[in-house]
Every structure is written in structure tokens, then in C-alpha cells.
């Protein structure tokens, strides 16, 4: 009987300790981080044609540029949070213009488009992994304000439009990253794909063969965050 009582006490104490330990693991305090990031950018102008047989013929349609800015993260739950980036970004690519400045139809002229934006990206951040390192998944929208742009024509003596038709761009982002925790901070390597949903040029005054003319961006980001 004494052995049974001792065994019962030990079992009860063990269950109690496990319950307390589980409760402590489940308790979560909100975590906020602020940081900065730099990114390498590869971009192109994504075009959907009314007539797919007529397409822009460019050997390398991609442009390489950079991005940099501030970041904020909030984790109100252990594995689900919000990641917000405010950044300066240069995008762009190639397209063809089939109207001159007076909206008269001309032989299509190739141009390179280089816009610079101030961009806000509030993304859902889902993470998984060990205590010190995590794999992060991102998805959400972005909105971009056009700061300046440059249109470089390959040839032609006509006068053409010299700026985009859209000053604000809306789009969607998705990606994955790996982060490693330090004492009061962490570093993260992140890869994102961004696709604009706004026509940066109006097909009626740019090229009647275009249906959609949108920004498309691939980026590799290195970020450093400090816990608030």
C-alpha cells in the first residue's frame, strides 16, 4: 500500500509539472521588431497581348537594380505575425510604343522603362522552426507611389510620351525566408516575388496590342531586426 501511495504521489506530481510546463510554453507575449533591409532586384515589364503572335523581341528583358528601406514586425501570436516594409525600389523593363505624343499610330518603337517608387508592403508572416531559427512564409499586398521614371527609346525621331500613365501601383507579394535569432535581434534572408495588378501604361495611348502592362519583380533581401 505504501508503495502504491508513493507511486500515486509521484505520478500526480509528474502530471502537475507537465501541465505547468505546457502552460508556460503556451503563454505568449507580443513581440515587436524594427529593422532595415537591402535587396537585389530583377524586374521586367509583364505584358499580356491581345494578339500573342506579336510580342516584344528583347534578348534579355530583365533589368537589375536595388531596394532599401525600413521594416517592422509584430508577432501577437507565436507563429503568425505581420511584416511591414517601407522601401525605395527601382523596377522596370522593356515594352513597345505604337503611338507618338499626338496619339498618332506609328511603327512600334522599343523602349526601356525605369521607374522609382516608394513602396509599402504589409505582409502576413507565418513562421515555423526551432527556437533560434525559423522558416518564414510571406503573402500580402503592396502599394507603390511613383517618385520618378525614365523612358529610354532605342530609335526613332518622333516625340513620344515620357512618363507612365499610373502614379499609384497596387500588387501582390509572396515569398519565403530564413531567420536566425541573436540575443535581442535577428537576421533574415528573404526571397520575394511581386506582381503588379495595375496597368503602368494605358494600352489606348501606348500599344493597342497590349491588354495588361504590369511590373514584375524578383528580389533577394537581407534584413536586420532589433527587438523593441
Amino acid at each position: 500500500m505504501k508503495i502504491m501511495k508513493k507511486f500515486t504521489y509521484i505520478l500526480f506530481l509528474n502530471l502537475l509539472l507537465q501541465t505547468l510546463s505546457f502552460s508556460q510554453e503556451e503563454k505568449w507575449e507580443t513581440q515587436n521588431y524594427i529593422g532595415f533591409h537591402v535587396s537585389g532586384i530583377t524586374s521586367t515589364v509583364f505584358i499580356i497581348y491581345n494578339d500573342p503572335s506579336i510580342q516584344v523581341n528583347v534578348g534579355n528583358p530583365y533589368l537589375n537594380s536595388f531596394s532599401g528601406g525600413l521594416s517592422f514586425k509584430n508577432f501577437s501570436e507565436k507563429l503568425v505575425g505581420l511584416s511591414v516594409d517601407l522601401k525605395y525600389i527601382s523596377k522596370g523593363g522593356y515594352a513597345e510604343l505604337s503611338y507618338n505624343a499626338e496619339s498618332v499610330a506609328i511603327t512600334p518603337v522599343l523602349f526601356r522603362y525605369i521607374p522609382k517608387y516608394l513602396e509599402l508592403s504589409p505582409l502576413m508572416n507565418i513562421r515555423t522552426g526551432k527556437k533560434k531559427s525559423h522558416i518564414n512564409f510571406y503573402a500580402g499586398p503592396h502599394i507603390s507611389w511613383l517618385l520618378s521614371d525614365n523612358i529610354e527609346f532605342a530609335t526613332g525621331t518622333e516625340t513620344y510620351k515620357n512618363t507612365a500613365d499610373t502614379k499609384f501601383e497596387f500588387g501582390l507579394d509572396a515569398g519565403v525566408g530564413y531567420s536566425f535569432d541573436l540575443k535581442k535581434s535577428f537576421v533574415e534572408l528573404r526571397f520575394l516575388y511581386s506582381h503588379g495588378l495595375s496597368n503602368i501604361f494605358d494600352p489606348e495611348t501606348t500599344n493597342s496590342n497590349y491588354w495588361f502592362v504590369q511590373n514584375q519583380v524578383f528580389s533577394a533581401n537581407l534584413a536586420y531586426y532589433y527587438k523593441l
Side-chain angles (χ1 to χ4, degrees), residues 45-58 61 94-96 110 207-213:
V45 173
F46 178 80
I47 301 172
I48 299 178
Y49 296 84
N50 293 320
D51 182 0
S53 66
I54 305 174
Q55 298 189 15
V56 176
N57 186 16
V58 181
Y94 292 87
E96 284 184 325
L110 181 69
N207 192 323
S208 58
N209 191 49
Y210 292 168
W211 187 20
F212 289 120
V213 189

Side-chain angles (χ1 to χ4, degrees), residues 128-142:
T128 182
K130 299 179 180 180
K131 185 176 181 181
K132 290 290 184 180
S133 61
H134 297 90
I135 296 176
N136 296 269
F137 299 94
Y138 297 94
H142 74 257

